Amino acid sequence: MKVIKKAMKMREVGVLVPLLLLWIITYFINHAFFTSTNMIALFRSVSITALGAIGAAFVFCGGMMDVSAGSVYGLAGMLAAIAMKDWGMPVAAAILAGLLVGVAFGLVNSLIINGFEVPAFIATLGTQYIARGIVNVISEGRSYTGFPDGFNAIGGMGFFGIPWSIYISLMVAVIAAYVLKYTVFGRSLMAVGGNPETARTCGINVKLIRNAAYIINAVLCALAGILSTARLETAQAAAGSGWEMTVIAAAIIGGVSMYGGSATILGAVIGVGIMETLTVSMTMIKVNAYWQRVVIGIVIILAVGMDTFKRKRMSGGK
Amino acid sequence: MRKRILTAMMAGVLACSMLYGCGSSQEPSENSGGSASEENAEQAAAQGDGYEFIFVCPIVGMEYWNMCSDGIEQADNELGTSTQIVGPTDASTFTTEIANYMEAAISSQPDAIMGYSGLEVMGPLIDKATELGIPYLAIDSDAPDSSRFAYIGTDPYNAGYQSGEGMAELTGGTAKVAVLCSSLSSEKEMEEVEAFKDAVADYDIEILAMEETNGDLATAVTKMEALVSTYPEMTAVLGTSAYDVQAAAKVKEERGLDDLVLVGYDDQEETLNYIRDGIIGGVVVQDPYTMGYEGVRLLKEYLDNGSVEQEVYDTGTIFVTIDNVDSYRD
Amino acid sequence: MTDMSGRAVLEMKHITKSFSGVTALNDVSFSAYEGEILALCGENGAGKSTLMKILSGSYPEGSYEGQIFVNGNLCRFASPAQSEKMGIGMIYQEISMHLDLTVAENIFIGRWPIKGRKVDWKEMNEQAVTFMELVGLQAEPDMILRQMSASQQQLVSIARALSKDPKILVLDEPTSPLTQKESRMLFEILHSLKERGIACILITHKMEEVFENADRVTVLRDGNIISSCRLSETCEKKVITDMVGREISNYYPKEKAEIGDVVMEVKDFSVPHPSIPNRKIIDQVSFQLHRGEILGIAGLVGAGRSELVNAIFGKDPRLSGEIWIDGRKASIKSPADAMKNGIALLTEDRKKDGIVAEMSIRENLTMPLLEKVSRNGIMDRKREKDISRRYFEELGVKAPGTETLMRQLSGGNQQKVVLGKWIARDPKILILDEPTRGIDVGAKYEIYKIMVKLAREGKGIIMISSELPELMSMADRIMVISDQRIRGILKEGEWTQEKIMELSAMWETPVTNAGGHES
């Protein structure tokens, strides 16, 4: 009982409840929802998008913003594909190349934002276009397919019939949560997001911390893009278009504050759960496709509302 | 102050890059064929032609539209014209962004414009262009009530009808179909679906559901998986945009749903492979290359003669199945 | 002085308010009379702000027990707008103005005069001038607030309150950002308001202000009214005793420390002006700091004292100059460098760069010590808890525990945490920029005690302060900065308030009209 009481106090309960409600309602209407095939498919899509939400949590925590996520996701996948098919690189090297794309764009973003002091939203909007443009140029609009089995396997099933991407994501989530809560870097990041001037006065290298957050985010997005490409066994030029919006919405729904200073990895992942569940649920409860967007919008507002309400009550209301 | 100037510059650069898109600016290329076409180009240039056109493309960089661009490039070479290709690059937002590109195209005052027209927003913009004396040709998808002087492309109705016939044949006349489309607001796709329904009206073929995929493969796969779980009675899938039928094929393969019949559109390499492997039953293939090629020709003809012969030019479709997959390209 | 048979223009009866089980106000009743200046005194956390927030309607009817009567009428305020309508004007300690609007726009915010369907700018500016003259604000009505000094902004806020024709005016530490001259003008205004029958409630820590201007003094302590009497019936000592609950014999702990050798030498320091391009705010300044010494820095607001110490700390850029620590030249390009060299800086504006409001006391206390409370990049929770507990207790921070969020603390307690985090670094040199600004007497005394203790430990302390009595009591030497230079370094015995003011006002360079100018 005590454990349950303690769990109820956790701030993530505010978003976990809507997610569970969503699941229960969908199950009632369509029992096929809780089949293992369906759940695995759901968790698999969640695991990939969750990487992006975790990255977004880092960026938000530092008080910043990054809308280039989807383009980096697409570029990493496409680059890995081209590396394997056109340049004949081995699988591991191709994956590394894709991840390096993430590092590169993380650096570019930080350079523009920290070096030239361009506002984060505009700077990453610019890199969003640039990255997408590069994808189109290197792929000439074609989609790539027919990758070595070793690569495709990463997108497939692992131990106990659970897809590798789920294991990978889980590991990333645990590490991310640990870093934020228990490391000097995590603490510094929260300080920078909470009040960058105070952090600077205390000797924290604000620019370095921000750069690191952008790089972490870009690498996670690249990883997601590579996993997705492996899963679909296809690299698509338009892959990831609009993905950053899903990722950011998921993080916010999950309770990550856009103003910085705090972050919840668990919340971000639950937020992704809500977004992905909605996509599937709508179909499974046979909501007319024309109404789906309306419903999704309403659910998002409700989820955020419930979370805000809970938070207001917890902080005692002045 | 320095910050503000820099931000303004970046915004300006963004605006410019949006304007010219990531699509390439087409110049008469140097490596297209031998001296014959070069001579033609010179002749045409000498005749003082050298019309300048703009093609407003819905998704620059997509394979389908690249084929269209190839046709345009060939025509430019032969006729001595020069066509610039502009348009959005993002499949999920092109329905709104394309209007901006159309506006920019009109402002550039080219000799004529051809563009994707099957969206509400394009109608008034087309009229605006013609009012300013810029002739407009609708390509690939039409705006029949606007002042466009002609339409060249697939007749979506014919295409849709063909998909229905193909489905009827592949399923032996009995099926419960789920439909995947990229956007419910795409008039072209909706018309294709209506035509499909007409074609199968006399058969025992029923549509169970329709889902939207934004042209994104991952989303399409997720939706397909959900459909499989929701409709155990489903026996066939119709996908109206290029990745939709591929997504259906992936899931079919993964889950071993061998009896599922898949019909779709467009001939991407991956799709053709699926046909060869017997996973996809058939696709309706359009001819974007001819659309581009003939499109340029029609623009020039209109400017030279003041009119063209027909109002609608159907570039035709072929239903490609395992029987003709390797031969249809002739 | 005041005719006590005048009507009670304000009566607050049996006000009780709690926050999550903690009682902030306990059955408080007090009144204000027509045409009087009532001083409301109390330590931070005594309940003064809470009481005023109830009066102003920020805490609406229903969130507290008790009643408010204005001119005998029972008032139920659901919002600040309603209390304004009843003639209650508020001037807050923390300036809440719209920095990107003009003076006139701020004064008349929410009530801009309209001609037809558009704002009547001309009328608004003209009317603004009337109130600006009333408060002695030398500026143009169409100047943007962001470019004005804090004291000017405060004058605008006072003008705003006056323009609403209040019957009761509440001023919370109004002279905090003001110069001597501006403060005098303010009290002249209050006296003229008195003549018109307006009651002024003055919340202040400054005893001179109370005893020079008030008619009555009411003291709050820990949510209770301790005393309420006419000025003639009380004296400074009694007021302070009531506020603090104990006798304080000295304001300032007088124990001096042994002055050792030079720990820091600043040579030929120049710092660029923050807002005027191609101008220096500090030009070729050199001085020394000794171990065990408290070096006070005096000067007018805007003279560059903060810029000087910020540059020494590596926080702001410096144009030129050297810093020598213990006889060796130090390279300081960032706060991290300064900290490595044993320097700590408590900044002027804790809200801006002293605290992270949404973090706990513990997290704030350990922020400059991250290497000390971690191993190989991983935080050592136990060490962190131990250290933060230690300084929490040592500084006497009044809060439920170290997990309390900073924003829930009073100003004085926040300042203690900020001081604590720097002390925890055991620096050689501690620079304090206005360390007791906006803090009550009790907390001030505690901070002075800590300063003395640190000096006795052999640390070199620099203290910037605008409160001359404080400076003269705590410092061993006082350096006066004015117009880019040091105008004088005075030793104990050499200084008087007048002499310091004289040195502070020395100005040779012509003042351009860019941004705030000093009076």
Side-chain angles (χ1 to χ4, degrees):
Chain A
M1 197 55 213
K2 244 175 125 184
V3 174
I4 297 186
K5 269 204 159 171
K6 195 163 178 220
M8 284 300 289
K9 285 221 177 111
M10 275 169 52
R11 49 192 275 208
E12 290 87 5
V13 169
V15 265
L16 188 58
V17 169
L19 176 64
L20 293 176
L21 274 176
L22 210 51
W23 284 5
I24 293 173
I25 293 175
T26 310
Y27 173 68
F28 265 138
I29 302 182
N30 185 343
H31 285 2
F33 187 71
F34 273 152
T35 56
S36 62
T37 351
N38 197 52
M39 279 280 122
I40 288 181
L42 179 62
F43 274 94
R44 183 196 249 168
S45 357
V46 168
S47 67
I48 295 181
T49 304
L51 290 171
I54 293 172
F58 272 87
V59 168
F60 280 171
C61 186
M64 303 169 293
M65 164 75 77
D66 186 351
V67 293
S68 65
S71 303
V72 173
Y73 167 106
L75 182 55
M78 182 58 77
L79 191 68
I82 291 183
M84 285 184 291
K85 300 265 341 209
D86 287 348
W87 304 337
M89 284 170 77
V91 172
I95 293 179
L96 193 59
L99 291 175
L100 283 177
V101 161
V103 174
F105 269 86
L107 283 170
V108 166
N109 278 332
S110 0
L111 178 66
I112 300 179
I113 294 172
N114 274 334
F116 297 126
E117 295 189 5
V118 176
F121 184 78
I122 302 228
T124 55
L125 193 61
T127 47
Q128 181 200 76
Y129 277 91
I130 293 175
R132 183 63 62 190
I134 295 178
V135 177
N136 283 328
V137 167
I138 62 179
S139 68
E140 290 166 17
R142 290 169 37 213
S143 50
Y144 277 74
T145 184
F147 306 131
D149 286 337
F151 182 75
N152 294 331
I154 298 176
M157 296 298 175
F159 299 131
F160 310 119
I162 294 181
W164 288 118
S165 60
I166 294 183
Y167 287 114
I168 295 176
S169 256
L170 210 55
M171 220 171 57
V172 168
V174 167
I175 295 176
Y178 183 83
V179 165
L180 276 180
K181 200 157 180 232
Y182 293 105
T183 64
V184 172
F185 171 70
R187 175 66 63 85
S188 306
L189 185 63
M190 289 200 239
V192 167
N195 187 333
E197 274 312 305
T198 301
R200 198 165 83 92
T201 309
C202 290
I204 293 177
N205 189 336
V206 171
K207 287 201 170 158
L208 194 63
I209 301 280
R210 284 182 167 161
N211 288 355
Y214 273 108
I215 293 177
I216 290 174
N217 182 36
V219 170
L220 286 177
C221 293
L223 180 60
I226 293 173
L227 283 175
S228 175
T229 305
R231 188 238 176 278
L232 297 170
E233 297 178 20
T234 307
Q236 190 193 6
S241 272
W243 188 67
E244 55 272 326
M245 285 302 132
T246 308
V247 154
I248 289 175
I252 296 177
I253 290 176
V256 178
S257 166
M258 273 214 290
Y259 297 109
S262 72
T264 158
I265 299 293
L266 180 58
V269 173
I270 294 178
V272 175
I274 291 182
M275 299 296 287
E276 293 289 332
T277 302
L278 282 173
T279 311
V280 173
S281 280
M282 294 297 104
T283 306
M284 297 201 80
I285 65 182
K286 303 193 183 177
V287 170
N288 184 316
Y290 287 91
W291 278 96
Q292 286 183 21
R293 296 227 182 143
V294 174
V295 175
I296 290 180
I298 293 178
V299 173
I300 290 179
I301 292 177
L302 282 179
V304 178
M306 235 197 246
D307 187 50
T308 311
F309 173 72
K310 181 171 190 302
R311 237 94 74 61
K312 276 219 157 106
R313 284 214 322 174
M314 264 174 69
S315 71
K318 299 217 211 132
Chain B
M1 193 56 205
R2 186 183 93 140
K3 243 176 83 167
R4 274 187 231 150
I5 295 180
L6 203 54
T7 313
M9 269 171 63
M10 272 218 73
V13 167
L14 264 183
C16 286
S17 66
M18 253 182 67
L19 192 57
Y20 293 98
C22 297
S24 40
S25 178
Q26 296 284 326
E27 308 270 342
S29 76
E30 279 122 9
N31 61 353
S32 53
S35 49
S37 55
E38 280 180 330
E39 258 179 46
N40 279 340
E42 279 173 22
Q43 263 182 15
Q47 286 168 17
D49 269 351
Y51 286 129
E52 289 186 2
F53 304 140
I54 293 184
F55 167 40
V56 178
C57 169
I59 305 174
V60 173
M62 209 166 121
E63 199 178 321
Y64 179 91
W65 293 109
N66 285 349
M67 289 196 257
C68 187
S69 305
D70 290 341
I72 291 176
E73 197 179 311
Q74 181 65 18
D76 275 347
N77 286 342
E78 291 174 12
L79 304 174
T81 52
S82 141
T83 308
Q84 186 186 25
I85 301 177
V86 303
T89 51
D90 193 332
S92 59
T93 56
F94 82 89
T95 48
T96 43
E97 279 186 44
I98 193 173
N100 298 335
Y101 288 90
M102 179 63 177
E103 294 266 19
I106 296 176
S107 310
S108 323
Q109 297 276 353
D111 295 312
I113 300 177
M114 64 185 194
Y116 180 94
S117 324
L119 297 167
E120 276 296 322
V121 300
M122 291 301 278
L125 290 172
I126 296 172
D127 294 336
K128 181 170 166 186
T130 46
E131 268 162 45
L132 291 170
I134 306 175
Y136 184 92
L137 171 70
I139 177 169
D140 176 78
S141 103
D142 197 12
D145 298 325
S146 71
S147 49
R148 55 107 180 98
F149 70 83
Y151 164 65
I152 181 166
T154 311
D155 184 324
Y157 191 86
N158 289 346
Y161 202 88
Q162 199 172 45
S163 72
E165 286 176 334
M167 177 69 81
E169 188 168 329
L170 288 166
T171 57
T174 306
K176 296 209 189 305
V177 184
V179 179
L180 291 171
C181 66
S182 70
S183 165
L184 292 168
S185 34
S186 163
E187 277 186 38
K188 176 180 176 198
E189 284 183 271
M190 292 306 104
E191 196 176 337
E192 287 165 354
V193 173
E194 285 305 310
F196 173 88
K197 287 187 194 162
D198 288 346
V200 302
D202 295 329
Y203 297 91
D204 181 21
I205 296 183
E206 179 198 330
I207 293 190
L208 296 170
M210 183 153 68
E211 290 290 336
E212 207 181 29
T213 65
N214 277 338
D216 178 44
L217 188 53
T219 313
V221 167
T222 306
K223 289 284 181 182
M224 179 64 186
E225 285 172 335
L227 285 169
V228 167
S229 303
T230 315
Y231 299 97
E233 69 273 32
M234 171 172 74
T235 61
V237 173
L238 170 71
T240 56
S241 81
Y243 288 109
D244 295 334
V245 70
Q246 275 186 31
K250 272 205 203 310
V251 177
K252 170 177 172 177
E253 206 180 21
E254 232 168 62
R255 305 231 184 151
L257 305 165
D258 299 322
D259 295 328
L260 208 54
V261 174
L262 306 180
V263 169
Y265 283 73
D266 295 338
D267 55 350
Q268 296 192 334
E269 196 56 43
E270 173 85 335
T271 308
L272 296 179
N273 285 337
Y274 276 122
I275 292 181
R276 292 190 187 101
D277 293 340
I279 298 181
I280 293 183
V283 290
V284 175
V285 173
Q286 305 179 76
D287 193 353
Y289 181 91
T290 305
M291 284 185 221
Y293 182 84
E294 289 296 319
V296 172
R297 211 186 50 73
L298 283 172
L299 287 179
K300 179 167 187 300
E301 195 180 310
Y302 187 89
L303 286 170
D304 289 340
N305 307 337
S307 68
V308 291
E309 285 174 23
Q310 295 163 234
E311 199 188 324
V312 172
Y313 291 82
D314 187 351
T315 47
T317 55
I318 303 181
F319 194 71
V320 174
T321 61
I322 195 169
D323 300 323
N324 60 351
V325 63
D326 292 309
S327 56
Y328 80 96
R329 278 252 170 91
D330 337 314
Chain C
M1 274 201 153
T2 207
D3 180 3
M4 282 284 281
S5 65
R7 295 186 310 140
V9 92
L10 169 70
E11 285 174 285
M12 295 180 81
K13 293 190 178 166
H14 304 297
I15 307 278
T16 300
K17 173 139 181 75
S18 318
F19 295 102
S20 313
V22 176
T23 308
L25 291 172
N26 183 21
D27 195 33
V28 165
S29 300
F30 91 110
S31 328
Y33 293 85
E34 229 179 354
E36 76 164 344
I37 294 181
L38 170 65
L40 183 59
C41 298
E43 283 191 299
N44 274 45
K48 311 184 299 288
S49 312
T50 311
L51 190 58
M52 291 303 111
K53 283 199 178 136
I54 289 176
L55 178 59
S56 74
S58 289
Y59 292 148
E61 226 255 324
S63 63
Y64 59 88
E65 287 162 41
Q67 296 169 319
I68 304 176
F69 293 89
V70 173
N71 281 323
N73 302 315
L74 175 62
C75 293
R76 309 185 119 102
F77 299 133
S79 70
Q82 291 187 357
S83 80
E84 257 181 38
K85 278 211 201 84
M86 287 303 294
I88 298 176
M90 303 289 300
I91 295 173
Y92 291 102
Q93 188 178 59
E94 270 153 22
I95 302 172
S96 57
M97 305 253 102
H98 297 269
L99 293 174
D100 293 305
L101 296 183
T102 68
V103 172
E105 285 167 345
N106 267 286
I107 292 181
F108 293 109
I109 194 116
R111 327 168 272 148
W112 294 343
I114 304 196
K115 190 158 70 178
R117 284 218 252 137
K118 298 208 291 193
V119 176
D120 190 345
W121 302 110
K122 190 157 161 293
E123 174 72 17
M124 186 173 75
N125 285 339
E126 279 170 22
Q127 283 190 27
V129 173
T130 324
F131 292 103
M132 287 164 65
E133 280 171 7
L134 191 59
V135 302
L137 174 60
Q138 287 168 339
E140 294 301 319
D142 56 4
M143 275 175 74
I144 304 273
L145 238 67
R146 201 179 277 279
Q147 294 167 346
M148 300 168 75
S149 70
S151 55
Q152 289 175 314
Q153 290 177 5
Q154 177 70 312
L155 292 176
V156 172
S157 122
I158 295 169
R160 176 172 75 178
L162 289 179
S163 72
K164 294 185 192 167
D165 198 25
K167 313 256 184 334
I168 302 164
L169 192 60
V170 178
L171 304 100
D172 192 347
E173 303 283 357
T175 58
S176 214
L178 299 180
T179 64
Q180 296 267 48
K181 185 161 152 209
E182 286 163 347
S183 301
R184 250 181 284 131
M185 271 220 77
L186 175 61
F187 284 114
E188 274 170 33
I189 297 170
L190 294 190
H191 283 294
S192 70
L193 290 179
K194 253 181 71 153
E195 320 261 307
R196 286 159 51 188
I198 296 174
C200 298
I201 300 178
L202 178 66
I203 301 178
T204 179
H205 289 130
K206 301 184 183 170
M207 289 297 122
E208 327 90 64
E209 280 181 9
V210 173
F211 283 87
E212 272 169 34
N213 300 289
D215 300 308
R216 287 191 310 135
V217 182
T218 297
V219 179
L220 263 180
R221 185 175 81 232
D222 292 330
N224 294 293
I225 298 263
I226 303 296
S227 64
S228 190
C229 43
R230 274 190 265 187
L231 217 65
S232 49
E233 295 162 8
T234 185
C235 64
E236 212 170 296
K237 195 156 162 210
K238 178 160 181 330
V239 170
I240 295 189
T241 310
D242 285 345
M243 276 170 64
V244 176
R246 60 186 181 277
E247 286 231 357
I248 296 204
S249 43
N250 284 325
Y251 282 137
Y252 307 105
K254 267 308 193 188
E255 313 158 42
K256 286 308 169 107
E258 212 181 276
I259 308 240
D261 41 0
V262 174
V263 66
M264 173 168 85
E265 183 164 357
V266 169
K267 286 192 190 166
D268 301 326
F269 227 69
S270 295
V271 180
H273 199 288
S275 45
I276 304 177
N278 299 325
R279 261 277 284 257
K280 294 185 206 166
I281 195 169
I282 293 289
D283 190 13
Q284 301 289 94
V285 155
S286 303
F287 66 92
Q288 294 175 335
L289 176 68
H290 299 86
R291 286 209 148 78
E293 166 180 43
I294 296 183
L295 173 65
I297 303 188
L300 299 176
V301 172
R305 299 168 297 164
S306 298
E307 285 77 8
L308 172 62
V309 299
N310 284 347
I312 292 175
F313 192 66
K315 193 161 129 64
D316 285 346
R318 95 175 82 127
L319 276 183
S320 62
E322 296 173 349
I323 302 175
W324 293 68
I325 310 264
D326 273 337
R328 286 220 307 265
K329 187 157 154 200
S331 166
I332 296 181
K333 297 204 186 70
S334 70
D337 290 340
M339 283 157 68
K340 274 201 212 93
N341 276 287
I343 308 178
L345 170 64
L346 183 143
T347 55
E348 189 191 355
D349 186 347
R350 59 181 171 271
K351 210 159 101 170
K352 177 168 146 243
D353 54 11
I355 64 172
V356 179
E358 291 295 325
M359 281 185 158
S360 67
I361 294 177
R362 166 180 55 86
E363 287 163 323
N364 271 273
L365 273 174
T366 53
M367 202 170 285
L369 315 168
L370 294 176
E371 328 85 59
K372 255 211 236 174
V373 292
S374 68
R375 231 180 332 191
N376 298 326
I378 314 276
M379 299 290 296
D380 185 338
R381 276 302 169 102
K382 185 166 182 312
R383 285 217 70 203
E384 198 190 348
K385 282 205 172 92
D386 290 342
I387 289 189
S388 48
R389 188 88 237 166
R390 175 174 154 201
Y391 287 97
F392 177 85
E393 282 163 6
E394 232 179 76
L395 279 118
V397 178
K398 290 202 192 76
T402 56
E403 296 307 309
T404 313
L405 295 184
M406 285 299 276
R407 67 170 154 78
Q408 293 169 323
L409 297 179
S410 66
N413 284 308
Q414 284 182 354
Q415 193 74 318
K416 285 184 190 173
V417 172
V418 178
L419 186 57
K421 82 180 180 196
W422 291 118
I423 294 177
R425 277 200 67 85
D426 196 28
K428 283 191 230 179
I429 297 150
L430 182 58
I431 306 177
L432 307 168
D433 195 344
E434 302 280 4
T436 63
R437 179 184 274 167
I439 296 183
D440 63 272
V441 172
K444 274 194 202 199
Y445 186 77
E446 286 169 43
I447 290 182
Y448 296 142
K449 269 182 48 187
I450 293 170
M451 284 172 65
V452 167
K453 171 161 158 289
L454 292 171
R456 286 170 74 95
E457 284 172 14
K459 306 202 190 307
I461 299 182
I462 294 179
M463 175 183 188
I464 296 179
S465 174
S466 300
E467 259 180 70
L468 294 186
E470 172 181 81
L471 219 45
M472 296 191 325
S473 307
M474 292 300 294
D476 298 304
R477 291 187 298 152
I478 294 182
M479 187 166 88
V480 183
I481 300 215
S482 169
D483 191 21
Q484 306 175 335
R485 303 242 158 78
I486 298 178
R487 296 295 157 182
I489 301 188
L490 306 170
K491 291 221 251 306
E492 193 167 357
E494 287 175 7
W495 61 53
T496 61
Q497 283 211 39
E498 291 72 26
K499 180 110 183 92
I500 296 177
M501 285 309 304
E502 200 187 301
L503 289 172
S504 306
M506 286 176 69
W507 210 273
E508 289 157 358
T509 325
V511 178
T512 52
N513 223 13
H517 50 272
E518 299 313 311
S519 45

